[in-house]
Amino acid sequence: MAHQHIQDPPPGDETGRDGAVAPVARSVTPVGGSRVRLTGGLLAAWQRRNREATVPHTLEQLEKAGNLDNLRRLLPQKLAGEGPDTPYRGRYPFLDTDLYKTLEGLAYELARPDDGGRQAMGEFYEETVGLLERVQAPDGYLNSFFQDPACAKDPWEDLAWGHEMYNLGHLVQAAVAAHRQLGDRRLLDVAVRFADLVVERYGPGGEEAVCGHPEVEMALVELYRETGDEKYLTQARLFVDRRGRGTVASRGLGSAYFQDHLPLRELPSVTGHAVRMTYLAAGATDVSQETGDRSLLDALRRLWDDMVATKLYVTGGLGSRHSDEAVGDRYELPSERSYSETCAAIGTMQWAWRMFLATGDARYPDVLERVLYNAFAVGLSADGRAFFYDNPLQRRPDHDQRSGAEEGGEPLRRAWFGCPCCPPNVVRWMAQLADYLVAERDGELLVAGYAQAAVEGTRVALDMATGYPWDGEVRLTVRRAPDRPYRIRLRVPGWADARQVGLSVGGEPVAAAAADGWLTIERIWHAGDELRLSLPMPVRGHVSHPHLDATRGAVAVARGPLVYCLEQQDCPAGVDDVVIGAERVAAARTAAAQEADGLPAGAVLIRMTADVAPPPSPELYPPLTAGPREPAPATGTAELTLVPYFAWGNREPGPMRVWIRGL
């Protein structure tokens, strides 16, 4: 194979390679990169699907859409007139980011010891990195849209919509991944040259401006972490502190869309474009951690708490408005018009993980887990080759689901988009799932997420075996441990009843009370010691806050970290006509999915009986009558089968509900 720059991971690498986030000023240190390996279960299946289906599909679509052609046409011989002249392909100036996000995912995939699909991935990686090296401008600038000689705008002319620093952010993250996972610094050299140009132009004493799309902030902090050069941390802090002065030319959307109407520390609530908001908050969290800025972290805590309490869907989705892909007001959470962009789900998880690393608080991985298994996972089809851009919680019988802004296309998930920000984002996040499970802190290992995995911590190495999220039995077997007492902390998920959680070591029950979301066991561990955690997973129902008008009186069904939904294929009556209450939820049964159901191995379905409501009044707004009102008697019952929300829409189009009518 001709990819001499890509090498297999060194055998017996005791230190391991860092994951996507590697803080210098450590409160909690992530255990990621090569030090956590998924060995089975749902997350490993998702990662395998990513490698075998989503990545090849994405590479094909990027080639077809012209992302690589946009770089090829900038080669010196092309600019000199050799070969056919082709225009820039695509309608957006930030399409290079789709290559960068894909490269970030490829860095992880190429670093794995198995070689499935390695040749095609390696060829794409090599060509793309080579193109970026060759077309980068002498001063470090890199953007295939603005470098086009036919472009009507000059570089840096349109910071609001040009997204040049957003491009830089994704380039840096890809470069850091390539350096950490593959030991390849070519892309890092490209990224450093571009970052240095930005620092020169917009650094201390330079132009006081910010990009219209936050992202570069967390990337610059990671570049500081990788290179040790503090100018990148300084620049990230400047961008965080500058935002909120109304300098972004909004052109009709308003400065709040860009989080530019108030300084971040003064925002009363998360607001504006949901992806921009979460990327900005994630970068600000990185800045607060590395600079020790407690006031900034306090503001981020406040914003997070308000978001979780008033603006996050039961699935973990963020963003209720299609018009500007925005967060929306408090309690503005319509089901059928939920936007909940897949990229916003990834941004929420990025912010959650950074807040966890800054604080050690179990509430943040709680939300990360909810988003992962619901709002994020639903964005990808079962076969890994089609995507949702927006993720509604309800599909009405006459709704023609169209994802993205384009006309036409598939009625459910789509193979690609004119603005394909979500698919490559899925590629990179799936590739690095293992980075967001385990962390360390002075004298303790924190198991924040549960999956079948092999973990090589600094002091403790263990194997984790579990059927999570389908069952709550987790077995951890120690392979290596220090010869002194050491703490292992296990997160008790927020959905679990802490009174029912079981814990044992070597088969002997351990009396340990959960504190702040963690169960802590401290002892001298020996190779072969087995720690068992039991998290009962009864079916449960959720109702919504009384201020949340859209789902008042309805019930959402969940089990463990998974939210479930009802599709018309699994309901003998109309999905809008079945009614459930607490007794029906309490009597629900679980069933193993069959291969014919198209669900992952080990998947659990929920079966329950519902009442069928009588036909409603034909009047849209019937008059209110005085006196006590008795509910109309049910006309019968219906046996329902509920599937995990992430699995909906993989059959023929039809109605769907997360929130089912309540008694």
Side-chain angles (χ1 to χ4, degrees), residues 136-429:
Q136 185 172 30
D139 66 354
Y141 186 83
L142 184 57
N143 182 294
S144 66
F145 179 84
F146 288 103
Q147 285 178 264
D148 178 3
C151 183
K153 295 181 178 180
D154 293 327
W156 312 117
E157 180 182 329
D158 186 6
L159 287 184
W161 297 104
H163 288 49
E164 287 140 296
M165 286 185 266
Y166 171 77
N167 273 25
L168 170 61
H170 282 300
L171 171 62
V172 166
Q173 288 173 325
V176 168
H179 193 232
R180 289 176 181 169
Q181 306 308 315
L182 300 173
D184 183 356
R185 69 165 298 121
R186 291 174 297 160
L187 203 56
L188 188 64
D189 290 340
V190 171
V192 163
R193 285 193 290 271
F194 195 5
D196 287 349
L197 176 66
V198 167
V199 171
E200 179 182 352
R201 186 180 182 96
Y202 298 102
E207 184 179 343
E208 295 192 1
V210 295
C211 182
H213 198 310
E215 209 283 340
V216 73
E217 295 83 1
M218 56 178 155
L220 285 170
V221 175
E222 213 61 47
L223 188 59
Y224 152 70
R225 291 165 171 168
E226 191 67 7
T227 65
D229 194 330
E230 291 196 5
K231 68 184 177 186
Y232 303 126
L233 175 60
T234 298
Q235 189 64 49
R237 179 176 54 79
L238 281 175
F239 282 148
V240 169
D241 288 342
R242 282 177 187 164
R243 191 168 293 273
R245 301 179 185 178
T247 61
V248 179
S250 64
R251 295 212 292 270
L253 283 172
S255 56
Y257 173 88
F258 302 95
Q259 297 81 39
D260 196 39
H261 61 305
L262 287 171
L264 180 62
R265 300 166 196 264
E266 298 176 20
L267 284 179
S269 183
V270 294
T271 190
H273 187 271
V275 181
R276 285 169 165 85
M277 182 70 246
T278 55
Y279 283 4
L280 174 62
T285 305
D286 281 329
V287 168
S288 72
Q289 185 172 11
E290 298 296 357
T291 62
D293 190 333
R294 303 307 299 179
S295 68
L296 179 57
L297 184 59
D298 288 344
L300 291 161
R301 285 182 194 262
R302 174 178 52 77
L303 289 170
W304 176 275
D305 290 345
D306 181 72
M307 177 186 73
V308 173
T310 69
K311 295 191 173 183
L312 210 60
Y313 279 93
V314 69
T315 59
L318 181 68
S320 61
R321 295 181 180 174
H322 280 240
S323 59
D324 49 2
E325 300 181 329
V327 175
D329 297 333
R330 292 185 177 98
Y331 305 111
E332 181 191 348
L333 296 167
S335 289
E336 64 271 70
R337 294 299 291 165
S338 163
Y339 200 69
S340 295
E341 185 182 334
T342 301
C343 283
I346 293 171
T348 303
M349 290 189 287
Q350 288 178 312
W351 186 16
W353 186 246
R354 287 161 171 80
M355 290 296 286
F356 168 58
L357 297 181
T359 66
D361 194 323
R363 295 178 303 154
Y364 302 115
D366 268 354
V367 173
L368 191 157
E369 176 183 84
R370 176 163 39 132
V371 177
L372 172 65
Y373 287 113
N374 300 287
F376 165 71
V378 72
L380 183 62
S381 63
D383 68 2
R385 296 181 176 89
F387 310 86
F388 277 143
Y389 195 109
D390 54 303
N391 295 286
L393 278 68
Q394 181 177 352
R395 188 182 195 276
R396 294 193 179 276
D398 59 343
H399 181 58
D400 191 11
Q401 170 73 24
R402 302 288 182 187
S403 296
E406 302 83 9
E407 295 292 335
E410 297 299 321
L412 289 171
R413 293 176 182 86
R414 300 179 62 175
W416 208 245
F417 306 94
C419 177
C421 54
C422 296
N425 228 357
V426 169
V427 164
R428 68 166 179 155
W429 195 261

Side-chain angles (χ1 to χ4, degrees), residues 476 503-510 523 525 528-532:
L476 300 101
L503 186 66
S504 66
V505 176
E508 296 296 322
V510 175
R523 54 174 285 168
W525 300 94
D529 282 351
E530 186 177 271
L531 177 62
R532 285 182 177 262

Side-chain angles (χ1 to χ4, degrees), residues 457-469:
T458 305
R459 301 295 181 188
V460 168
L462 54 82
D463 293 318
M464 184 161 33
T466 180
Y468 204 86

Side-chain angles (χ1 to χ4, degrees), residues 70-98:
N70 288 338
L71 294 176
R72 293 178 183 126
R73 63 194 300 275
L74 298 178
L75 291 171
Q77 62 268 31
K78 292 287 186 180
L79 294 177
E82 300 177 21
D85 184 26
T86 57
Y88 179 88
R89 294 178 62 186
R91 53 186 292 201
Y92 300 105
F94 49 82
L95 296 178
D96 293 350
T97 60
D98 302 320

